[in-house]
Amino acid sequence: MAKTGNKRLKTIYQMLSNDDDTRACLQIPENACRAQPVNYLLFLLAVGCSQISDKLASTKLVLPWLFSTAGIPSFFSGLLVPIRESGSMLPQLYIGAWVRQFPRRKWFLVASTLAQALCLLSIIPVALWMQGSAAGWTVIGIITLFSLARSFSSVASKDVLGKTVDKTKRGQVSGYAATIAGITGIIVGLSLAWGLTMDTVHILWLLVAAAGTFSLSALLYGLINEYKGATDGARSGRYAFKQAIDLMKNDAPFRHFVITRALMLSSALATPYIVMLAEQSHSSWFGLGIFLAISGLASALSSVFWGNQSDHNSRGVMTYTAVITTLICLAAAGVNWLPEASHAYLYGFLFFALSVTHQGVRLARKTYVVDLAEGNQRTTYVTVSNTIMGVLLLVVGVISALLSQLAIPVALLFFAFISLLAAITSRTMKSV
């Protein structure tokens, strides 16, 4: 029975990965190569469950909607995305230095994923029994803890992926996982759009579902067969900070990657501005369900494509997506020049196009940094780049927010400009 089960798993693995020889690996040891079919599927399902949770408890859509229905001031909605994103990146330099002490790192994935589930569940009593600013500050505190747990997950996941899945298949894993999450987003979004009353209780059930899929993800991470890895470089946070400065000075391929990644923040930060413009068009069919469905459709249609393209040429994907982001931001800034009746539909299309493009940005940069590094250097690259991104995310976010006070299209023109710079600087990156 066990042999039959293993045979079926290998068949599924071969179908998904287009790999006719499960024993041939380029960059992982023989023992990890033998376990790769099972690890590939476990990692795919675990990441898929995590991404489903991210959609069901999105800080861009779901939690702001919850704040509105629960009567929490809109000021707190504006804090959600910066804290969620930068809070998960800023501590990584110090967290990575500690994580490197341990030869197996999947248990950080298990613990941090369970912690994220508990954070989402703890929002429920706050929304039910607290009100106003007290509820807002309490949820912001919970999201800060959520981001800290996410930071551990981000550091460990790329390292475990690099140790258990071969170089040519890592983008595939992320692509298939995003497709699973995308299909789920479509189903949930259409359910919400077709008449389900979006009161506080129904949104809290989304958080319960998100916590459940996070818990399932933790279980799947725990089943991964991870061999012991390098522990050299396990130093203090102060040493890690000095190492980060030295890395940016002396490692040109890494420095070029960080500069390009910083300029590509537009694909993430421009999305809320397009949503705001769509809401201002006063179209009755724009709501939480429609945006969830559009976001899910974008993930489902594009993620496998971007994953495969990233395995083939991740640097090229970063260039293409930077150019596309530039064009989308320019188009969104110019919609007001067109007849008003078409605005809502055009913003919906641009939201979809930017969601597709952002999938490419995410998968390409993740695949590139994992492929650029080897061994314990992989964790260093991930933690240093994410810490720098955490700082720059706040800086770029503040600049764009100030520009949007002039007019939202001004902020979009700013995003178009830095995306164009990203397309140029991506050509200086080392081919991996």
Side-chain angles (χ1 to χ4, degrees):
M1 286 292 287
K3 286 184 178 179
T4 304
N6 287 336
K7 222 176 206 181
R8 287 175 181 168
L9 287 175
K10 286 182 179 179
T11 301
I12 296 171
Y13 164 76
Q14 288 170 343
M15 289 172 58
L16 292 173
S17 65
N18 297 317
D19 186 358
D20 294 328
D21 187 358
T22 59
R23 300 163 298 174
C25 298
L26 297 176
Q27 207 188 39
I28 59 175
E30 185 180 349
N31 57 344
C33 190
R34 286 196 299 268
Q36 180 171 240
V38 173
N39 283 339
Y40 178 99
L41 295 172
L42 286 171
F43 214 103
L44 188 160
L45 293 172
V47 175
C49 287
S50 289
Q51 293 194 13
I52 289 170
S53 298
D54 287 339
K55 288 193 177 298
L56 297 179
S58 169
T59 51
K60 293 179 181 179
L61 290 174
V62 177
L63 290 184
W65 205 278
L66 173 64
F67 277 22
S68 177
T69 61
I72 297 173
S74 59
F75 164 76
F76 296 100
S77 297
L79 298 178
L80 287 169
V81 173
I83 289 176
R84 157 70 177 79
E85 298 296 334
S86 63
S88 65
M89 292 181 179
L90 283 171
Q92 288 191 17
L93 197 63
Y94 292 87
I95 288 173
W98 183 59
V99 167
R100 281 195 294 271
Q101 299 177 51
F102 300 87
R104 287 193 178 93
R105 293 155 194 171
K106 71 175 184 179
W107 300 115
F108 287 100
L109 277 173
V110 174
S112 61
T113 307
L114 286 174
Q116 290 173 75
L118 290 173
C119 286
L120 293 182
L121 290 176
S122 65
I123 293 175
I124 295 174
V126 176
L128 290 175
W129 298 320
M130 296 181 69
Q131 294 179 345
S133 297
W137 285 119
T138 304
V139 174
I140 291 299
I142 293 170
I143 293 299
T144 303
L145 294 176
F146 179 93
S147 298
L148 180 61
R150 188 60 164 226
S151 189
F152 279 94
S153 180
S154 179
V155 169
S157 64
K158 293 179 182 65
D159 193 58
V160 175
L161 176 64
K163 288 166 64 180
T164 57
V165 177
D166 197 39
K167 185 172 184 176
T168 59
K169 299 173 179 63
R170 294 164 188 160
Q172 284 180 349
V173 170
S174 299
Y176 282 126
T179 299
I180 292 171
I183 292 171
T184 304
I186 294 171
I187 295 170
V188 173
L190 291 178
S191 298
L192 299 179
W194 286 347
L196 182 63
T197 305
M198 285 318 322
D199 58 16
T200 300
V201 173
H202 283 114
I203 298 175
L204 292 180
W205 277 112
L206 289 180
L207 299 187
V208 172
T213 48
F214 265 136
S215 300
L216 179 57
S217 178
L219 173 63
L220 293 166
Y221 279 133
L223 295 174
I224 289 174
N225 183 14
E226 180 195 7
Y227 65 95
K228 289 184 178 180
T231 57
D232 58 299
R235 301 287 192 269
S236 67
R238 183 180 297 177
Y239 177 88
F241 182 75
K242 180 180 180 299
Q243 185 185 39
I245 296 174
D246 292 340
L247 200 59
M248 288 297 290
K249 280 183 180 178
N250 304 319
D251 192 331
F254 177 72
R255 182 172 65 250
H256 293 157
F257 164 73
V258 170
I259 291 170
T260 302
R261 182 183 171 187
L263 293 170
M264 295 183 78
L265 287 171
S266 298
S267 65
L269 295 178
T271 304
Y273 291 101
I274 294 177
V275 172
M276 281 189 276
L277 287 172
E279 290 173 335
Q280 290 173 11
S281 69
H282 303 297
S283 175
S284 60
W285 61 275
F286 268 98
L288 174 60
I290 288 295
F291 279 114
L292 274 175
I294 291 175
S295 177
L297 182 64
S299 298
L301 291 180
S302 66
S303 297
V304 173
F305 169 78
W306 288 126
N308 287 326
Q309 290 299 307
S310 296
D311 283 331
H312 176 67
N313 183 8
S314 54
R315 184 185 71 168
V317 172
M318 291 180 76
T319 302
Y320 305 147
T321 52
V323 171
I324 296 169
T325 301
T326 300
L327 296 175
I328 292 171
C329 291
L330 287 173
V335 165
N336 278 337
W337 293 92
L338 298 173
E340 189 173 344
S342 65
H343 288 185
Y345 300 96
L346 288 171
Y347 288 133
F349 171 77
L350 292 172
F351 175 82
F352 171 77
L354 191 57
S355 298
V356 168
T357 305
H358 184 59
Q359 286 296 322
V361 171
R362 290 178 63 253
L363 293 173
R365 66 170 172 75
K366 286 181 179 181
T367 304
Y368 184 90
V369 73
V370 172
D371 289 347
L372 181 65
E374 294 183 6
N376 206 52
Q377 189 186 39
R378 186 177 295 115
T379 306
T380 303
Y381 274 13
V382 170
T383 54
V384 171
S385 64
N386 281 352
T387 300
I388 294 171
M389 285 307 105
V391 175
L392 293 178
L393 182 68
L394 291 175
V395 173
V396 175
V398 169
I399 292 172
S400 60
L402 292 173
L403 290 174
S404 70
Q405 297 304 301
L406 299 174
I408 290 177
V410 176
L412 290 169
L413 290 174
F414 168 69
F415 289 134
F417 173 69
I418 64 173
S419 292
L420 182 60
L421 291 180
I424 296 170
T425 60
S426 68
R427 306 314 300 165
T428 68
M429 290 164 53
K430 177 183 175 181
S431 176
V432 294

